[in-house]
């Protein structure tokens, strides 16, 4: 079953105040906003000048008659064209600036969210689907782009037109304008009510889209398993149901927005038509000129158009408010594992590696608070010592590595590296001192050279190749079509399991840390590759402390000490020969393995 998002509860705001969360991203671009604002003011001013030009043309041009009339008509048409030219230039400038701002701010938001997400501890990803995060990085930021790049400009433009048009309506006819204001005030309430409903439905719609995206990401990453169990139809049906759920939610939002638009246009234009009917009677009774009525009609149309556009933009802004809310939730997630404000520094590296001490360490995973993965575990490892950790699945071996890397902090106890509490170290400094070869090798969508160089970004090509040779990876990489420049495919699908693991070993060797963690580093290798890698690992262990999780006796027998874990505790410790003689858990595991290979 897909896990539900455990993000902090949604902020229960009933307005667009959520969009204030975008201010830190908008603040660096004050100059661009100023230029866009100037263009906006010029365009709005040009738009508001057009009705006045029509009024002058009607009253002074058509009414005058004769040659004077022709001159007035020519002059006002020429002026009208000039106003249109100014409007065109200012509108184009506004479009360019706000579009630039939309793209720039969206890029900044995406980078900030991604930077924040990758700094989270594994506890965050233990309960959060990557598909959900990707949906917020793509769909939600696209909605915000529409607001910053279009909607904000449209709101300001139409707000200016509304205010300017309203002022000119009063200048033209205070009586008719007063009537229209009263009527418009009466229609605002239903628009506001529906706007709130649209905002809630917009949030729900984005959540359903994210659910579908998360499901798709999970299944696409497990296609071999899905096909091996012939679940293609089942997963297609599940995804189809999720998509239909998103569609149904989106349709509720669309229906609400359609109703909002209908109400806004119908009520606003109904009020305007009524007032214009009164104006027509005023012209027939001689209380207004034809030009004044024409001017009033155009300003009324501008005001009505501005209100209609504002109601339309409000719907987009409501959707963006929901998207912003979701992104702010993501940004508000704080990793429980943080570097201290004043971190300590590790002492100079010893020639023999790092000293590692665990004292009475007890740990419960956040998702399993009642089950202790490690219980009162104490272990001292001397610099340069190689210690193997063995035990049945679930004994706490991998948990031990995660605590050493400080992916989690123990609820009780202390872990020190070279005498320094690892909680007092900067996270990057701590992890820079540790190299790990995980059981589940991660291969990035890049070539072999860059995959190995991930161990140390500033390594030269020669250093990368040297590390590959130490890990017995050079030969198979050299046989690839483009050698070290060969693309390894997404998640390394072009490599065998053993080849992927040798890439990971080369990556760790390139890092050259004082503490080396090997989590089943040779589990996916055939006998010949294991022999080669084992030899390379033995050379790599010289001058550093090594902690090994392994079941193969070839690795375990060479360790200086073997620690046997069960149920999160150390139950046996000693050399291979001593533990065999003890006849306990280790002896049983060894007997099973010998039996397996007979």
């Amino acid at each position: 079953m897909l896990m539900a998002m455990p993000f902090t509860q949604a902020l229960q705001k009933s307005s667009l105040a959520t969009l204030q969360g975008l201010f830190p991203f908008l603040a660096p671009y004050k100059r661009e906003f100023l230029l866009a604002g100037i263009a906006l003011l010029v365009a709005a001013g040009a738009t508001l000048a057009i009705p006045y030009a029509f009024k002058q043309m009607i009253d002074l041009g058509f009414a005058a008659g004769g040659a004077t009339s022709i001159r007035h008509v020519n002059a006002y048409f020429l002026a009208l064209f000039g106003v249109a030219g100014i409007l065109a230039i200012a509108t184009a400038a506004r479009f360019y600036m706000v579009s630039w701002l939309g793209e720039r701010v969206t890029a900044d938001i995406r980078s900030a969210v991604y930077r924040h997400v990758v700094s989270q501890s594994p506890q965050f990803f233990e309960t959060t689907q990557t598909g959900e995060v990707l949906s917020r990085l793509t769909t939600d930021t696209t909605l915000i782009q529409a607001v910053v790049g279009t909607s904000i400009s449209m709101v300001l433009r139409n707000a200016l037109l509304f205010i300017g048009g309203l002022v000119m309506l009063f200048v033209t006819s205070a009586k008719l304008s007063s009537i229209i204001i009263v009527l418009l005030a009466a229609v605002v309430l239903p628009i506001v009510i529906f706007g709130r409903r649209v905002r809630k439905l917009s949030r729900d719609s984005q959540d359903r889209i994210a659910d579908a995206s998360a499901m798709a990401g999970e299944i696409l990453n497990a296609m071999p398993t899905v096909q091996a169990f012939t679940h293609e139809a089942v997963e297609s049906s599940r995804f189809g149901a999720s998509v239909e759920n998103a569609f149904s939610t989106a349709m509720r939002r669309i229906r609400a927005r359609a109703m909002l638009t209908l109400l806004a246009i119908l009520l606003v234009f109904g009020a305007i038509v009524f007032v214009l009917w009164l104006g027509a009677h005023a012209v027939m009774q001689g209380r207004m000129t034809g030009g004044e009525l024409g001017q009033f009609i155009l300003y009324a149309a501008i005001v009505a158009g501005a209100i209609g556009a504002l109601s339309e933009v409000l719907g987009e802004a409501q959707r963006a408010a929901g998207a912003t809310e979701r992104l702010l939730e993501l940004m508000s997630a704080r990793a429980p594992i943080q570097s201290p404000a004043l971190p300590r520094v590790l002492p100079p590296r010893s020639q023999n590696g790092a000293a590692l001490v665990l004292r009475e360490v007890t740990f419960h995973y956040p998702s399993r608070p009642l089950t202790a993965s490690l219980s009162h575990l104490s272990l001292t490892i001397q610099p340069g010592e190689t210690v193997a950790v063995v035990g049945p699945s679930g004994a706490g071996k991998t948990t031990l590595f995660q605590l050493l890397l400080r992916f989690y902090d123990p609820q009780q106890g202390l872990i020190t590296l070279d005498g320094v509490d690892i909680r007092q170290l900067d996270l990057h400094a701590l992890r820079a001192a540790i190299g790990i070869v995980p059981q589940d090798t991660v291969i990035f969508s890049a070539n072999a050279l860059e995959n190995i160089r991930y161990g140390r970004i500033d390594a030269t090509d020669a250093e990368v190749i040297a590390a590959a040779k130490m890990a017995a990876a050079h030969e198979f990489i050299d046989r690839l079509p483009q050698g070290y420049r060969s693309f390894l495919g997404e998640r390394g699908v072009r490599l065998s399991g053993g080849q992927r693991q040798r890439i990971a070993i080369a990556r760790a060797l390139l890092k050259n840390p004082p503490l080396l963690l090997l989590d089943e580093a040779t589990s996916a290798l055939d006998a010949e590759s294991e022999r080669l890698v084992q030899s390379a690992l033995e050379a790599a262990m010289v001058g550093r402390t090594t902690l090994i999780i392994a079941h193969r006796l070839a690795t375990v027998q060479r360790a200086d000490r073997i620690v046997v874990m069960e149920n999160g505790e150390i139950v046996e410790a000693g050399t291979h020969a001593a533990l065999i003689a003890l006849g306990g858990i280790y002896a049983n595991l060894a007997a099973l393995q010998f039996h397996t290979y007979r």
Side-chain angles (χ1 to χ4, degrees):
M1 295 295 292
L2 296 176
M3 293 183 292
M5 279 296 299
F7 287 119
T8 53
Q9 293 297 318
L11 306 175
Q12 300 299 319
K13 297 180 182 178
S14 59
S15 69
L16 297 179
T18 307
L19 292 175
Q20 293 176 359
L22 297 178
F23 286 170
F25 298 100
L26 304 177
Y29 306 109
K30 296 183 179 70
R31 185 176 66 88
E32 287 78 6
F33 273 105
L34 177 62
L35 293 175
I38 293 171
L40 183 65
L41 286 170
V42 172
T47 302
L48 292 171
I50 291 174
Y52 179 76
F54 269 100
K55 184 254 185 189
Q56 295 294 95
M57 183 176 61
I58 293 171
D59 286 347
L60 301 180
F62 295 151
T68 303
S69 175
I70 294 174
R71 284 196 303 272
H72 279 198
V73 168
N74 291 342
Y76 283 111
F77 267 106
L78 187 61
L80 193 59
F81 180 77
V83 171
I86 294 172
L87 176 61
I89 294 171
T91 302
R94 175 188 62 83
F95 170 78
Y96 176 82
M97 290 307 305
V98 298
S99 297
W100 184 92
L101 284 165
E103 296 289 347
R104 180 68 268 164
V105 170
T106 302
D108 291 348
I109 291 173
R110 283 178 176 149
S111 295
V113 172
Y114 187 79
R115 186 165 55 250
H116 181 74
V117 168
V118 297
S119 70
Q120 297 301 304
S121 67
Q123 180 178 338
F124 174 85
F125 297 100
E126 186 180 327
T127 51
T128 303
Q129 292 177 310
T130 54
E132 173 74 12
V133 176
L134 291 174
S135 173
R136 298 190 182 205
L137 278 171
T138 53
T139 307
D140 290 354
T141 51
T142 299
L143 288 175
I144 292 173
Q145 178 183 352
V147 168
V148 177
T150 303
S151 299
I152 290 179
S153 171
M154 292 293 290
V155 166
L156 293 175
R157 175 179 178 273
N158 286 286
L160 287 173
L161 292 178
F162 174 76
I163 295 171
L166 206 57
V167 170
M168 293 307 296
L169 282 177
F170 275 95
V171 170
T172 307
S173 174
K175 179 180 178 181
L176 292 180
S177 298
S178 299
I179 295 172
I180 200 170
I181 288 299
V182 171
L183 292 175
L184 288 177
V187 305
V188 166
L189 183 60
I191 292 175
V192 171
I193 293 173
F194 266 89
R196 291 180 177 178
R197 175 170 171 76
V198 168
R199 180 176 182 271
K200 180 181 182 302
L201 290 173
S202 296
R203 170 65 192 248
D204 293 341
S205 179
Q206 290 304 112
D207 284 341
R208 300 295 77 77
I209 293 172
D211 291 343
S213 177
M215 179 183 293
E218 181 182 56
I219 299 307
L220 290 176
N221 283 331
M223 280 311 298
T225 303
V226 171
Q227 293 176 352
F229 285 89
T230 65
H231 277 199
E232 295 93 334
V234 172
E235 297 301 343
S236 295
S237 177
R238 285 182 60 209
F239 182 72
S242 181
V243 169
E244 286 301 316
N245 189 17
F247 172 76
S248 299
T249 306
M251 287 309 301
R252 288 198 297 272
R253 171 182 58 79
I254 291 169
R255 281 194 292 270
R257 280 198 62 190
M259 184 59 68
L260 176 64
T261 302
L262 185 149
L263 280 174
I265 294 176
L266 186 62
L267 295 177
V268 170
F269 275 90
I272 291 173
V273 168
F274 174 70
V275 172
L276 293 181
W277 176 76
L278 295 178
H281 280 270
V283 172
M284 289 186 291
Q285 295 168 5
R287 299 197 305 271
M288 291 181 71
T289 66
E292 287 174 334
L293 180 59
Q295 177 176 299
F296 189 88
I297 292 173
L298 289 175
Y299 281 126
I302 288 174
V303 170
I307 294 176
L310 285 171
S311 67
E312 181 71 19
V313 173
L314 180 62
E316 292 294 332
Q318 297 284 10
R319 290 189 69 195
T324 302
E325 192 173 75
R326 288 156 48 88
L327 285 171
L328 291 179
E329 287 175 12
L330 193 57
M331 292 291 285
S332 69
R334 288 289 173 264
I337 308 298
Q338 299 281 350
S339 294
L342 297 172
R344 293 182 60 185
V345 179
L346 284 170
R349 178 174 176 173
S350 166
Q351 291 183 349
N352 295 325
L356 184 65
V357 177
L358 294 90
R359 296 177 188 166
E360 292 292 316
V361 172
T362 297
F363 174 69
H364 303 251
Y365 280 102
S367 58
R368 304 190 297 275
L370 300 180
T371 304
S373 296
L374 295 178
S375 180
H376 302 287
L377 186 143
S378 294
L379 178 65
T380 300
I381 303 175
Q382 300 300 326
E385 188 177 10
T386 297
V387 175
V389 182
V390 301
S393 297
K397 305 185 296 295
T398 301
T399 300
L400 176 61
F401 278 18
Q402 292 182 320
L403 293 183
L404 295 179
L405 286 161
R406 210 176 163 223
F407 289 157
Y408 300 91
D409 279 338
Q411 282 81 26
Q412 297 178 26
L414 179 70
I415 302 174
T416 65
L417 184 66
D418 282 336
V420 181
D421 184 347
I422 63 172
R423 287 173 293 192
Q424 297 177 355
L425 293 171
D426 178 80
L427 282 175
H428 289 162
L430 168 66
R431 293 167 185 169
I434 301 174
I436 183 168
V437 179
Q439 183 175 4
D440 298 323
T441 302
V442 174
I443 301 295
F444 298 98
S445 296
N447 60 37
L449 196 69
E450 296 308 318
N451 261 286
I452 297 175
R453 206 196 307 272
Y454 204 81
R456 182 158 56 87
I457 297 298
D458 60 350
T460 64
D461 290 358
E463 290 173 322
V464 170
I465 294 172
K469 288 178 178 178
M470 288 181 64
H474 174 73
E475 186 177 347
F476 82 80
I477 293 175
D478 200 43
R479 289 199 303 264
L480 294 173
Q482 285 83 41
Y484 280 84
R485 303 290 177 182
S486 297
F487 177 66
L488 302 183
E490 187 175 2
R491 302 190 311 276
V493 294
R494 298 182 180 180
L495 302 179
S496 68
Q499 290 172 335
R500 287 197 295 270
Q501 205 145 20
R502 278 180 276 174
I503 292 284
I505 292 170
R507 189 185 291 160
L509 295 177
L510 182 65
K511 189 176 184 181
N512 191 28
L515 176 60
L516 184 62
L517 307 180
L518 306 177
D519 188 355
E520 297 286 2
T522 61
S523 63
L525 303 181
D526 55 47
E528 177 62 20
S529 295
E530 181 182 10
R531 182 185 64 80
L532 294 170
V533 171
Q534 195 64 49
S535 175
L537 288 177
E538 287 177 9
M541 291 175 192
V542 175
R544 60 172 52 88
T545 304
T546 308
L547 199 57
I548 306 170
I549 293 176
H551 291 122
R552 295 195 179 188
L553 295 182
T555 303
V556 171
Q557 284 178 305
R558 289 177 171 82
D560 298 321
R561 187 160 37 121
I562 300 169
V563 172
V564 184
M565 293 184 64
E566 187 176 41
N567 297 324
E569 300 177 345
I570 295 177
V571 293
E572 298 175 4
T575 63
H576 171 75
L579 292 176
I580 290 292
L582 187 64
I585 294 175
Y586 179 81
N588 290 333
L589 291 173
L592 287 172
Q593 190 169 132
F594 277 128
H595 175 74
T596 301
Y597 287 96
R598 274 207 297 250

